[in-house]
Amino acid sequence: MTAEILDGKALATELRGVLAQRVAARAAAGKPVPGLATVIVGDDPASQVYVRGKHKACREVGITPIGYELPASTSQDELLALIAELNGRADVHGILVQLPLPAHLDAAAVQSAVALEKDVDCLNPANLGLLAQKDRAPRFTPCTPAGILRLIEKSGLDLSGANAVVLGRSNIVGMPVALLLTQANATVTIAHSHTRDLPALCRTADLLVAAVGRPQLVRGDWVREGAVVIDVGVNQIQDPAARRGQRLVGDVAFDEIVEKAAAITPVPGGVGPMTIAMLLENTLKAAELADA
Ligand code: NAP
């Protein structure tokens, strides 16, 4: 069997086209343009690249990006004061605080301060808590997990009763993915760094979601024939044959799995582009909810 490649880039482009039309329709109806405020603290180069990408994507669909870059010396009180100001601004519909924050700042307290109706990243614990409750849901679905669910939908896998194994239990990927899959009636096992015999556990999976940040951890013989494999990992490895001497790989050994799986996401071009599309969708949804 050769796997279907779940092309997140193409799916995200399609979704962004639809979002651009919806934003344009709002403008034509005289409604406010959706605004996304982004906050970076410190000078982490990766954060700057990620946020630049998010701003570009916003502009492409007609959402206004409103960027704040604060020095690494910013105090907790100063950051909370900015969040309070953004919570009160009518032109800001979504607020994204880019992680990681410098070590002296309390990220959990900052995330808790983001107004629930502007929490487009879904990192306020009150929103994550709603995700964990049966028959309840937060206003916004967290971006990377939401993108993953769309890619699974594209694969045609029926999640009801499926055995899903999620590698990783982080607040931004592993745990919310596991909760969303549970809501979709999959039987979910969450694995982490203390899990025994990971390969055997993975072989039980109809759906395997890898979000560990370990380059090509998941090998070909860990995957059952016909499984759907979602690779969330983004890892840079040295490769003398690559143009810049390094390249990006995921958490799964793509070449070993592509001949076995029913469907697989590539890295890059799988989950990453979907994460940004979901952020845009959540920001538009926040603006629509603010109209009411
Ligand atoms: P994280 O916070 O570092 O969490 C990693 C998780 O993997 C933890 O739960 C950890 O277990 C588990 N883990 C680590 N090594 C393991 C091993 N050898 N065996 C089993 N479990 C192991 O990472 P994250 O933020 O969730 O991100 C995971 C990956 O996804 C990273 O490569 C990141 O760059 C990528 N990512 C991509 C996107 C995207 O949009 N494409 C978005 C977010 C993240 P413990 O809990 O026991 O420590």
Side-chain angles (χ1 to χ4, degrees), residues 144 168-170 172-173 192-193 198 211-214 232-235 272 275:
T144 301
R169 56 177 167 180
S170 71
I172 67 162
V173 192
H192 43 73
S193 64
L198 210 49
V212 287
R214 299 278 179 270
V232 190
V234 180
N235 311 289
T275 296

Side-chain angles (χ1 to χ4, degrees), residues 32-37 63-66 68 85-94 118 283 287 290:
V33 173
L36 174 68
I63 291 175
T64 305
I66 304 158
Y68 288 83
E85 180 196 322
L86 297 174
N87 282 342
R89 266 173 65 169
D91 61 332
V92 170
H93 299 94
K118 299 191 179 188
T283 305

Side-chain angles (χ1 to χ4, degrees), residues 106-246:
D106 178 351
V110 173
Q111 286 161 348
S112 300
V114 173
L116 294 181
E117 60 274 16
K118 299 191 179 188
D119 182 29
V120 289
D121 229 6
C122 198
L123 284 174
N124 186 317
N127 268 334
L128 265 183
L130 286 172
L131 205 58
Q133 294 189 352
K134 194 165 190 279
D135 300 327
R136 298 188 69 183
R139 277 189 186 78
F140 309 106
T141 311
C143 303
T144 301
I148 291 170
L149 266 285
R150 297 285 178 95
L151 287 162
I152 295 168
E153 197 181 313
K154 195 82 182 156
S155 78
L157 176 71
D158 180 5
L159 281 173
S160 182
N163 285 337
V165 173
V166 178
L167 305 186
R169 56 177 167 180
S170 71
N171 291 337
I172 67 162
V173 192
M175 191 56 74
V177 167
L179 294 170
L180 285 173
L181 292 172
T182 304
Q183 283 181 0
N185 297 327
T187 302
V188 182
T189 307
I190 303 172
H192 43 73
S193 64
H194 299 261
T195 299
R196 292 197 199 114
D197 203 350
L198 210 49
L201 177 66
C202 291
R203 280 192 284 272
T204 67
D206 303 311
L207 168 69
L208 185 60
V209 179
V212 287
R214 299 278 179 270
Q216 300 172 318
L217 175 77
V218 179
R219 310 310 307 189
D221 63 351
W222 293 28
V223 173
R224 172 196 272 190
E225 189 85 26
V228 171
V229 179
I230 305 291
D231 190 354
V232 190
V234 180
N235 311 289
Q236 205 149 53
I237 60 163
Q238 303 303 315
D239 180 356
R243 208 154 42 97
R244 292 197 177 85
Q246 50 191 16

